[in-house]
Amino acid sequence: MNLEQKVRDAFKSRFAGQPAMIVRAPGRVNLIGEHTDYNDGFVMPMAIDRSVWIALRPAQGRRVTVHSLDFDKRDSFALEGLQKNQSKWLEYLKGVAWVLQEAGYTLAGWEGVLTSDVPIGAGLSSSAALELATARAFQAVSGFDWEPKKMALLGQRAENKWVGVNCGIMDQLISAAGKAGHALLIDCRSLDCQPAPLPAGVAVVILDTATRRGLDSSAYNERRLQCETVAKFFGVKALRDVDVATFEARQGELEDVFRRRARHVITEDDRTLKAAEALRRGDIGALGRLLDASHASLRDDYEVSCQELNAMVDCARDAAGCLGARMTGAGFGGCAVALVEEARAEVFAQSVTANYEKAVNLKPHIYVCQAAEGAEARPA
Ligand code: ADP
Ligand code: MG
C-alpha cells in the first residue's frame, strides 16, 4: 500500500473522521559536491521518492496532536509556551512550530497521522523530511504562503537551535525545493538553486554500507580548519573563491596535507559545476565519470572514505549497468550513490548486495530511487 493511502486510512481509524489535507516531504541524496558546503561552494542533491507523509485536519484550540505510525506513539504539544523535553521525534515538530512562530507566523493547531519510508539515521535525511513535512502541515492549516527557501532556512534553524544538530542548509533546501526528474545545483553562498534534468532511463541507486562510524567532530573540525587556512593563504573568504588554475599555479607552496585537502574542495566545486552542465546537455556518461573522480578525491585527498565505502563503490562499478559511483555524505561509513541504467537497476542491486556481503561480511541496504518533487500539501 502506498504511504498516502496508509496515512489516510490510519487517520480515519485513529481520529474517527476524514483528514482535510495530506502533506509530504522527501528525503534526499547528494549526487556530487561533498565537503564543499562549508567552503561556500556547490552541491547537487536530488529529492528521492521516499517521504515523510502526514494526513491531518485543523484542531480545536492551539494544540498539535500527532500519531507516529512508525513509533506507534501518540503525543501532543500546545503552541503556546513551547518547552524542550525528552520525546525525541516530537521535538522536530515542536522545533518547527517554535521557529515559525519566532519568525512571526500565526499558527493554527492540527491533529494528524505521520509515517515515512525515509530510513531513519541512514544519511538520507529523514530529519529534514520531517521538518519540511511539519512546516507544510502548519502552512496547510494556517494558510500562509509556501516559500520553499524560507521554509528550508527555518527547518535548518529548528534542527540547529531546537534539536541541537549543527547541519548545513542542503538537506532542508532540497526537501523543500526539489523538482521531479531533476537534481538541484545549489550555490551554498547565495542559496541560488538551478534545476538540472536527469535523463529518463537512469536510476539513482543508494547503497547503504550498514556502517555508521561517521566523521567525528575532531576529524571534521580539523578539515574545516585546513580549508580555512588555505583560503587565507590565497587571501580569499573561502575555497570557493579559488579556481583550479589559480590553485595549480601556487599549490607547490602548500604543505602536502593542506594541498590535498584544498585540492579536493577546489576540484570538487569544479566537478559539481561540470556535472550540472553534463546534465543540461544530457551527457549521463560524463556525469558518471565525475562521480568516479569525486570518489577518488574524497578517498585520496580528503581522506574521509573507509574500507566499506571503497568496497561498495568497487562492487557498484563492477556490476553491469553502472555509469559511475561514489561515497555520499560526510564519510567514514553511511551510503554510496551509483548512477545506473534503469532497466538493469534490479539486477544491479542483487549483484552489489551479493558481492558487498562477500567482501565485508555486512548486509547492505539498497534503494533504487527517482528524483522527486519537494514538499507538497494537497486537499485529502
Ligand atoms: P537522518 O540521517 O535520517 O536525518 P537523524 O538522526 O538526523 O537521521 O534524524 C532521525 C530522527 O528524526 C529520528 O530519531 C526521529 O526523531 C526523527 N524521525 C525521522 N523519521 C521519523 C518518523 N517516520 N517518525 C517519527 N520521527 C521520525
Ligand atoms: Mg538528519
Side-chain angles (χ1 to χ4, degrees):
M1 183 172 38
N2 71 36
L3 294 193
E4 177 167 5
Q5 199 55 44
K6 184 176 166 187
V7 282
R8 198 189 292 275
D9 291 351
F11 186 94
K12 288 181 205 159
S13 60
R14 311 269 173 188
F15 289 103
Q18 298 285 339
M21 303 109 175
I22 308 272
V23 300
R24 178 192 69 78
R28 63 93 187 95
V29 63
N30 190 22
L31 293 180
I32 194 162
E34 215 64 74
H35 288 284
T36 47
D37 56 345
Y38 51 84
N39 290 294
D40 275 5
F42 297 92
V43 295
M44 195 170 75
M46 68 172 216
I48 58 173
D49 47 351
R50 289 175 167 267
S51 292
V52 168
W53 290 82
I54 307 174
L56 69 148
R57 74 179 168 207
Q60 304 296 329
R62 299 193 62 241
R63 225 183 150 73
V64 173
T65 303
V66 186
H67 189 100
S68 160
L69 294 178
D70 305 315
F71 292 158
D72 194 22
K73 276 217 169 75
R74 180 182 294 214
D75 216 334
S76 75
F77 59 91
L79 289 168
E80 261 102 49
L82 281 165
Q83 298 262 312
K84 293 184 206 182
N85 65 27
Q86 308 305 322
S87 167
K88 200 62 174 93
W89 64 272
L90 199 69
E91 293 309 301
Y92 289 87
L93 291 99
K94 289 164 64 182
V96 170
W98 173 71
V99 291
L100 285 169
Q101 294 188 114
E102 198 199 37
Y105 291 94
T106 303
L107 301 184
W110 49 274
E111 50 198 12
V113 167
L114 166 80
T115 194
S116 166
D117 57 0
V118 185
I120 293 175
L124 306 186
S125 215
S126 69
S127 59
L130 180 54
E131 288 146 14
L132 272 299
T134 304
R136 261 297 192 189
F138 278 115
Q139 182 261 333
V141 296
S142 313
F144 54 83
D145 287 342
W146 179 256
E147 297 172 82
K149 221 169 265 185
K150 195 164 171 187
M151 290 299 132
L153 285 162
L154 291 173
Q156 180 199 18
R157 186 168 164 74
E159 185 143 348
N160 293 164
K161 303 285 178 200
W162 191 274
V163 181
V165 176
N166 199 10
C167 57
I169 187 62
M170 174 173 74
D171 301 354
Q172 286 80 11
L173 196 48
I174 187 67
S175 184
K179 205 164 174 270
H182 292 71
L184 220 53
L185 174 68
I186 299 173
D187 179 335
C188 294
R189 176 172 278 168
S190 67
L191 299 192
D192 177 54
C193 295
Q194 298 290 337
L198 285 156
V202 174
V204 169
V205 183
I206 299 169
L207 307 159
D208 185 343
T209 61
T211 56
R212 295 283 182 272
R213 269 189 310 282
L215 195 62
D216 67 35
S217 59
S218 70
Y220 176 73
N221 291 336
E222 183 187 53
R223 279 166 184 74
R224 283 194 78 139
L225 198 64
Q226 288 161 340
C227 291
E228 282 162 26
T229 305
V230 179
K232 254 186 224 135
F233 167 84
F234 279 101
V236 293
K237 183 163 171 281
L239 285 182
R240 142 71 178 276
D241 301 305
V242 183
D243 62 26
V244 174
T246 307
F247 172 75
E248 278 172 355
R250 291 194 63 194
Q251 62 166 321
E253 299 167 52
L254 292 165
E255 213 181 289
D256 179 59
V257 66
F258 286 84
R259 174 170 56 242
R260 289 187 294 117
R261 299 297 188 256
R263 185 164 60 199
H264 166 70
V265 173
I266 293 162
T267 59
E268 184 78 352
D269 270 335
D270 186 56
R271 279 186 291 275
T272 305
L273 292 170
K274 286 188 170 134
E277 283 166 25
L279 284 180
R280 278 184 210 119
R281 57 171 200 272
D283 188 349
I284 199 72
L287 178 63
R289 289 188 292 279
L290 289 163
L291 260 60
D292 290 344
S294 169
H295 186 76
S297 177
L298 287 157
R299 180 191 61 207
D300 302 334
D301 276 350
Y302 219 60
E303 295 180 286
V304 291
S305 190
C306 63
Q307 185 219 333
E308 293 87 351
L309 281 167
N310 294 336
M312 186 67 95
V313 166
D314 288 343
C315 290
R317 287 181 191 160
D318 288 345
C322 185
L323 299 158
R326 67 175 200 93
M327 57 162 278
T328 182
F332 293 161
C335 294
V337 62
L339 216 55
V340 181
E341 292 168 27
E342 196 177 16
R344 299 164 103 162
E346 286 310 321
V347 179
F348 169 89
Q350 286 161 14
S351 146
V352 173
T353 301
N355 291 335
Y356 179 75
E357 220 177 323
K358 226 178 283 162
V360 304
N361 205 22
L362 284 168
K363 246 193 191 358
H365 300 283
I366 299 194
Y367 309 99
V368 177
C369 295
Q370 290 295 332
E373 191 72 15
E376 292 175 304
R378 62 177 88 120

